[in-house]
Amino acid sequence: MENKVFDTKLYAAAARAVAAEGIVMLRNEGQVLPLGKGEKIALFGRGQFNYYKSGTGSGGLVNTSYVTGIREALKESSFVLNEKLQAVYEAWLKENPYDAGAGWAGEPWFQKEMPLTKELVDEAKKESDTAVIVIGRTAGEDQDNKAEAGSYLLTEAEEEMLSLVCASFTHSGTFECGQYHRYEVGGALPAGGSAVCMAGRPGRRQRRAGCTGGNRNAFR
């Protein structure tokens, strides 16, 4: 039998291209996207730290050598992230760690969101051009979505986050990260100056695709 050597770099490049083409822009009022080179971003939502790389079931416990979240991908690009806001999230996460659940089909559909205050959001606005809100869900094998908060519907904390951020920022974008999943955010966003991207869950390289991807639906 002929031996073949697979070039993993080529596979990674193909995966990134497919992920970029799979991102769907659901809304782009005020031409928020694509973001400009060097744009200053205030990144909200714990999903920026706790990235669901895959859905539940057989694929949920796959070990990977690395996983690139949206925060890491943005840092690798030309964008400038608000470090003061990041420090607030990091301090909160120490007291509110990621809940991995009980394994196969036992993962929680969403993670507890950090409560925001108007003062915190307004302070972030002083040093940022645009707000990006990351909301994450999982779903998948043996578990379907439900019409309830934390699944198809937003939680109260997520609704409050959207309300506070969009009231302060003229430009805001919501990056939905859901495995085989669509949830409702449109009603919580202002009439203008906002964008929504549905990212789905095509693997561990997708966040790089979303931030530097090869189509008009990516951040740039």
Side-chain angles (χ1 to χ4, degrees), residues 95-118:
E95 302 297 326
N96 299 270
Y98 176 79
D99 180 6
W104 199 97
E107 304 93 334
W109 259 218
F110 70 100
Q111 298 292 320
K112 178 182 177 181
E113 190 56 67
M114 185 182 84
L116 300 179
T117 64
K118 184 178 184 301

Side-chain angles (χ1 to χ4, degrees), residues 20-101:
E21 292 301 322
I23 296 172
V24 179
M25 181 186 291
L26 302 175
R27 176 175 179 170
N28 191 25
E29 296 188 2
Q31 296 302 302
V32 173
L33 299 177
L35 299 180
K37 184 177 181 180
E39 195 155 343
K40 297 178 180 178
I41 297 175
L43 199 54
F44 292 92
R46 77 172 299 160
Q48 63 180 289
F49 295 92
N50 303 131
Y51 161 63
Y52 283 118
K53 71 179 185 303
S54 60
T56 185
S58 301
L61 299 179
V62 172
N63 294 320
T64 57
S65 58
Y66 66 89
V67 175
T68 303
I70 187 171
R71 182 172 54 86
E72 293 84 2
L74 285 169
K75 280 189 172 182
E76 292 175 3
S77 69
S78 66
F79 306 122
V80 180
L81 301 188
N82 189 313
E83 294 184 357
K84 292 181 181 178
L85 179 60
Q86 177 181 322
V88 174
Y89 270 99
E90 289 174 339
W92 183 83
L93 289 171
K94 290 180 180 179
E95 302 297 326
N96 299 270
Y98 176 79
D99 180 6

Side-chain angles (χ1 to χ4, degrees), residues 90-152:
E90 289 174 339
W92 183 83
L93 289 171
K94 290 180 180 179
E95 302 297 326
N96 299 270
Y98 176 79
D99 180 6
W104 199 97
E107 304 93 334
W109 259 218
F110 70 100
Q111 298 292 320
K112 178 182 177 181
E113 190 56 67
M114 185 182 84
L116 300 179
T117 64
K118 184 178 184 301
E119 292 72 23
L120 175 63
V121 176
D122 287 347
E123 187 65 27
K125 174 65 175 66
K126 294 178 182 179
E127 300 181 10
S128 309
D129 303 315
T130 300
V132 173
I133 304 167
V134 183
I135 298 176
R137 293 287 192 275
T138 191
E141 186 179 358
D142 194 44
Q143 295 289 343
D144 206 349
N145 303 318
K146 299 178 181 179
E148 60 184 34
S151 183
Y152 179 78

Side-chain angles (χ1 to χ4, degrees), residues 163-183:
S163 177
L164 285 171
V165 173
C166 292
S168 181
F169 282 80
T170 304
H171 288 168
S172 58
T174 302
F175 203 60
E176 303 182 21
C177 306
Q179 176 69 20
Y180 319 123
H181 199 95
R182 172 74 179 95
Y183 42 95

